[in-house]
Amino acid sequence: MSNQETTLETWKQIWTRKGLADSSVTDLLAYDGYEATKVDMEEVARQIAKRLDIQKNDKVLEVGCGAGALAQYLDCDYVGIDYSPTLVRKHIEILHNSVLTGEAADLPFKDKSFDKVICYGVYLYFDNKEYADKATKELLRVAKKGVLIGEIPMRSHRTEHLLFNKEDFQGWDISDGFYDPYRKDRFNAVYLFS
Ligand SMILES: C[S@@+](CC[C@H](N)C(=O)[O-])C[C@H]1O[C@@H](n2cnc3c(N)ncnc32)[C@H](O)[C@@H]1O
C-alpha cells in the first residue's frame, strides 16, 4: 500500500470508528466531528439552502453526509453518501434517510441525477489534490442546477488536513465559510449551472 493510500485509510478508519460510538450518543454533531465546535448547524443548513435555493421538491445529494448533523435540517428530497459504513448505518437508524456507502471521487450515480449537490466539511479529509479534483468533477457531473462545497480549508490546526487556495476553484463563486466566518481560514465554493 502506498503512503497516500495509508493516509486515506487512516481518515476512513477514524470516521468508521466515530460511527461505532455507543448508541446512547444521540448527538449527531459528535458523530460528524463537530463536538469541539460551536457550530449552529441549523443556521448552516439555512445558509446552504439559501445559496442553492433548495426547494422541498428538489432532489439533493449530500456527499460526505456522515450521520446527518447537517442533513437533519435539510428539507428536500434528500440522498446521502459517505465512505464510512458505520456513519451511514447511524444516519439511516437516526434519520431514516436514503443513504449509501461510497467514495466522493467515484459516485455511483448517472450524470445530472440530482438538482443540487452539497459537500460540506469534507474536502479537508481528502488524500490529495488529485483526489479532490476527481471529487469536484464528480459533484459537477451528477448535478443539474448547482453544487456547494463548504468549509474548504486554507489553513488548519491539524497538519493532516488537506489545504486549498481559492485559486483551486477558478470559475466558482467563493465566499467565507459558514460556521466560523470570523477566522476566514475556510471558504465555500458555489457553482450554479446557467
Ligand atoms: C466533518 S464530517 C461532515 C458530515 C456532514 N457533511 C455534516 O456536515 O454533518 C466529514 C464526513 O466526510 C466523510 N468523508 C471524508 N472523506 C470522504 C470521501 N473521500 N468520500 C466520502 N465521504 C468522505 C466522513 O466519513 C465524514 O462523515
Side-chain angles (χ1 to χ4, degrees), residues 8 11-12 15-16 28-29 31-34 41 44 62-71 81-84 87 102-105 118-127 131 135:
L8 184 66
W11 277 120
K12 213 185 233 183
W15 287 114
T16 301
L28 288 170
L29 286 175
Y31 281 127
D32 285 1
Y34 297 111
M41 202 50 91
V44 169
E62 187 189 5
V63 176
C65 60
L70 171 65
I81 186 163
D82 197 289
Y83 70 4
S84 162
L87 287 175
E103 286 277 345
I118 301 167
C119 188
Y120 187 79
V122 180
Y123 269 53
L124 63 171
Y125 303 109
F126 289 162
D127 193 26
Y131 184 99

Side-chain angles (χ1 to χ4, degrees), residues 104-105 122-139 149 152 162-164 168-169 172:
V122 180
Y123 269 53
L124 63 171
Y125 303 109
F126 289 162
D127 193 26
N128 53 43
K129 288 284 180 75
E130 197 188 343
Y131 184 99
D133 285 348
K134 274 193 198 160
T136 304
K137 284 198 182 98
E138 282 291 83
L139 304 183
I149 305 173
I152 305 168
L162 186 63
L163 302 180
F164 296 83
D168 294 328
F169 291 83
W172 291 64

Side-chain angles (χ1 to χ4, degrees), residues 52-113:
L52 284 179
D53 187 28
I54 293 177
Q55 304 295 319
K56 223 178 165 53
N57 293 332
D58 277 340
K59 205 167 172 200
V60 174
L61 174 69
E62 187 189 5
V63 176
C65 60
L70 171 65
Q72 66 183 315
Y73 299 115
L74 294 170
D75 187 15
C76 55
D77 182 2
Y78 178 94
V79 175
I81 186 163
D82 197 289
Y83 70 4
S84 162
T86 55
L87 287 175
V88 167
R89 206 176 313 131
K90 287 283 173 207
H91 193 139
I92 295 167
E93 259 171 43
I94 298 169
L95 295 178
H96 311 290
N97 275 333
S98 162
V99 184
L100 290 77
T101 304
E103 286 277 345
D106 186 17
L107 297 175
F109 305 109
K110 291 187 180 150
D111 296 0
K112 300 188 187 304
S113 311

